[in-house]
Each structure stands twice: as structure tokens, then as C-alpha cells.
Amino acid sequence: MGSAPASDDVYLRQTVRTAAKLLVVGHFAVGKTTFVGSLSEIKPLRTEETMTQAGALVDDLAGIDGKSTTTVAMDFGRLTLSDQLVLYLFGAPGQKRFTRLWQDMTQGALGALVLADTRRLDQSFDVMGLLEEHDLPYAVAVNHFDGAPSYHEDEIREALDLLPDTPLVTCDARDRISSTHALIALVQYLQVRNAHRVHV
């Protein structure tokens, strides 16, 4: 899964028989667009728009430097895992006003990767709560930001009130290898859950 993209072509291999859908979610300005872009083997679909003064009333930029655009619909990327399997990544906008949009995106998804920021961990609760309402399993990846405080895994797990079996990893959404490791953590978790359900 950590291998390089199979091809620069925009078309799927003719041998692909199975497609899997995963969501990349998280609060506003946590790095979802960057994460999808670092993994996608095709030019990712992005629906970013320039932030305006009108948005300042609803988009909290406290502690966020250099944020000038925001996703208004979704990000989309593709990653071919084998000759027969392709993974589609859907990045959802993080603001509460887009909740209905990404709730619709949960349809057909196998699971979600929740990106979190140690400067704003409390903002992850709404996202995780919505995933739980839709019974969508998830893993959490703490995205690295320069200058952000660093905490021990146990402290983050407690702060986010994660269940013992919920994966918690760190990543740098700008780095393909780091993002791949975060995605692997989610996929492995989903495999274990599905195997457990089969044997129950």
C-alpha cells in the first residue's frame, strides 16, 4: 500500500474490479485537502474558494496562519492499491455549515480518517460525534503543524475520549509516506473489525 502510484494516467487499469471509498474528515483548516493531495495518484479534484471578509464571521482563524482558501464541497483523490483494487478518498469540508453535505458523503464509505490538530483538539468532537451517529468506524491521525504543542499519545487519547481500540497515529499531511502510514492504520483497523464481525 505504501508503493508509488502505478501510473500517471487518469484512467483506471482495465483489471480493476473493486473500488473502496474512505472519507478524510476533520475540523476547519486541519489539513484534509493537503492530505488527499499528498496521496492521490491523479490530480486531485479540489473545490477551494478564496476566503472573504464575510466568512470571518463563521470561520474561526484564531491560531491559524496563512489560511486564504477553504473547501466548499469536497476533495477527491484516487489511489490504486493493486491490479484489481482502487481506493477513492473523499475529503469533506470541516465547517459546521457543510455538515449535511458530508453526511451524504458517508453513504457507501467503509470508514473515515479523522485529522486532528493539537492546538484545537476540542473541535474534533463534532466530527467524531457525527461519524458515530452514522455508525462509521474511524481512526484518528494527529496532523503535524509547525509550532503546535506536542502531547503524549495517552494524553491525546484521553482528551479526545477515544475508545481503546480506536487507532491514534501522528502524521504530516504534506508528506506522502507519512500520510500513507496514517491511511494504513485506518485500513488495518477496518480489516480487523470486519474479520471480527464475520466470526461473531
Side-chain angles (χ1 to χ4, degrees):
M1 187 164 160
S3 62
S7 171
D8 291 331
D9 295 337
V10 296
Y11 301 106
L12 280 178
R13 298 176 183 177
Q14 293 182 353
T15 55
V16 170
R17 296 293 178 265
T18 305
K21 175 182 178 182
L22 294 178
L23 303 186
V24 180
V25 299
H27 56 72
F28 173 62
V30 75
K32 300 177 295 293
T33 298
T34 301
F35 184 91
V36 172
S38 72
L39 284 175
S40 182
E41 66 193 14
I42 59 173
K43 183 178 180 180
L45 168 66
R46 292 179 172 162
T47 57
E48 289 193 303
E49 293 294 337
T50 301
M51 299 178 68
T52 65
Q53 190 61 37
L57 299 174
V58 291
D59 295 331
D60 183 8
L61 290 172
I64 304 171
D65 297 324
K67 179 73 172 172
S68 61
T69 61
T70 187
T71 299
V72 295
M74 68 174 183
D75 300 305
F76 173 78
R78 188 188 78 199
L79 183 60
T80 300
L81 303 183
S82 71
D83 287 340
Q84 297 186 331
L85 176 62
V86 66
L87 182 65
Y88 293 122
L89 298 174
F90 288 79
Q95 298 95 316
K96 288 184 179 180
R97 64 184 180 275
F98 294 117
T99 297
R100 179 61 185 269
L101 171 66
W102 81 257
Q103 283 179 314
D104 292 340
M105 291 170 62
T106 64
Q107 299 299 316
L110 298 180
L113 184 68
V114 179
L115 293 186
D117 180 351
T118 58
R119 299 169 298 181
R120 299 173 291 147
L121 286 175
D122 60 307
Q123 295 184 24
S124 298
F125 286 114
D126 288 339
V127 172
M128 294 188 299
L130 286 168
L131 292 173
E132 290 166 4
E133 285 179 22
H134 288 79
D135 196 29
L136 196 66
Y138 61 88
V140 177
V142 177
N143 190 16
H144 172 76
F145 288 91
D146 296 334
S150 178
Y151 300 103
H152 190 273
E153 178 179 329
D154 291 341
E155 294 178 291
I156 297 175
R157 186 173 289 278
E158 181 178 355
L160 293 176
D161 195 26
L162 298 180
L163 294 173
D165 62 340
T166 301
L168 174 63
V169 297
T170 59
C171 75
D172 184 336
R174 300 166 295 186
D175 181 73
R176 177 179 173 80
I177 294 175
S178 180
S179 296
T180 298
H181 289 160
L183 197 62
I184 288 173
L186 171 62
V187 171
Q188 289 177 335
Y189 174 56
L190 296 176
Q191 289 174 329
V192 170
R193 286 182 91 252
N194 289 337
H196 178 71
R197 287 185 174 185
V198 168
H199 291 96
V200 170

